[in-house]
Amino acid sequence: LPLEGQTVTVASKGFTEQYILADILRRTLEAQGAEVRIREGLGTTVAFDALAANSVDIYVDYTGTVWASLMEREEPAQRADMYAQVSAWLLEEHGVLSAGKLGFENAYAFATSPETAEAYDLETIGDLPGTPLSIASDPEFFGRPEWTRTRDTYGLESLSPRSMDSAFMYDAVRRGEVGLITAYTTDGRIDAFNLVLLEDTLSVLPPYDAFMLVGPDARENTALLNVLGSLEGEISTERMRKANSRVDLERQSTTEAGAWLYEQIFPA
Ligand code: PBE
């Protein structure tokens, strides 16, 4: 097997999809003989710094996240250009290799309940200024440039921000405990709870294609890169959403959902 005798460290950030993706990477690498260690639940900056310092070999991030939070770019680029620009920057600035897009996008989308949408006549983010609503997001979001830009561009100063573990946001908005959330677009609870997504008419939020990042040392490992290549384009938005739903709606473990998703990618 091509990775026999090698140990590979995979990181994940702290939400369902990321745990499932780390599990997919583990299964894929183990099938080729590698021994895999997982460092779970890291914030974006911690995961990225660990990767750049070679204490992690691989993790999955999203084009818009690198663009806004790491590159600190303001205007989003076209979705098609973004991966190329992000990849070039990562390699040049950090020696980090982009090893392929997985095939889905997981964007931030402002979401509300049907009742709140109706009560305040909400269809777009531009309908929010002046409303007395609270907005819940994961603890990272309010410190990110995506939030500052959205708030300043649309004039969202009247909204009161509330940090919340992403796992709890959807129930909270459904039950009206918060007015709005920044939903993750691959989350099955958007459809299951009939949440209303508010259109970003001014295109302030960037596209967020998921892709594999490989650290400076690991990127010299051709056998490893070949194995990762087998995952490129294999996870459609539909597949990812179904895998996430297994955990968040059907209460499976992330490893069970990982086993299901792995089977879709590599049928036995
Ligand atoms: N996202 C949306 C975030 C969390 C959900 C994928 C852009 C991120 O991890 O960067």
Side-chain angles (χ1 to χ4, degrees), residues 165-241:
D165 188 303
S166 61
F168 305 131
M169 302 189 295
Y170 304 86
D171 259 321
V173 78
R174 169 165 76 158
R175 293 204 297 254
E177 290 164 14
V178 294
L180 303 159
I181 62 170
T182 54
Y184 300 180
T185 55
T186 51
D187 200 293
R189 287 169 290 193
I190 294 174
D191 283 351
F193 298 173
N194 279 317
L195 299 184
V196 177
L197 300 186
L198 303 184
E199 204 188 325
D200 174 17
T201 44
L202 301 176
S203 300
V204 176
L205 292 164
Y208 292 92
D209 285 299
F211 69 108
M212 296 173 278
L213 285 72
V214 176
D217 284 354
R219 84 174 148 95
E220 308 291 337
N221 185 339
T222 318
L224 177 67
L225 299 183
N226 283 337
V227 172
L228 294 179
S230 67
L231 290 172
E232 191 172 349
E234 288 295 335
I235 308 179
S236 64
T237 303
E238 198 46 38
R239 273 183 178 172
M240 195 65 241
R241 198 175 283 131

Side-chain angles (χ1 to χ4, degrees), residues 11-34:
S12 87
K13 304 205 271 183
F15 52 96
T16 301
E17 174 170 293
Q18 285 275 322
Y19 294 108
I20 297 173
L21 292 172
D23 189 67
I24 290 297
L25 286 165
R26 176 183 66 77
R27 288 172 195 276
T28 307
L29 296 165
E30 283 178 354
Q32 301 305 322

Side-chain angles (χ1 to χ4, degrees), residues 9 11 44-63 66-67 70-71 82-100 211-221 224-225 228:
T9 306
T44 299
T45 324
V46 175
F48 183 77
D49 290 349
L51 184 85
N54 293 307
S55 45
V56 158
D57 299 310
I58 309 165
Y59 86 104
V60 173
D61 219 321
Y62 307 87
T63 50
V66 174
W67 184 264
L70 302 173
M71 296 166 72
M82 199 161 231
Y83 180 66
Q85 294 197 40
V86 162
S87 302
W89 183 87
L90 287 170
L91 196 58
E92 202 161 304
E93 299 291 324
H94 297 280
V96 164
L97 182 75
S98 303
F211 69 108
M212 296 173 278
L213 285 72
V214 176
D217 284 354
R219 84 174 148 95
E220 308 291 337
N221 185 339
L224 177 67
L225 299 183
L228 294 179

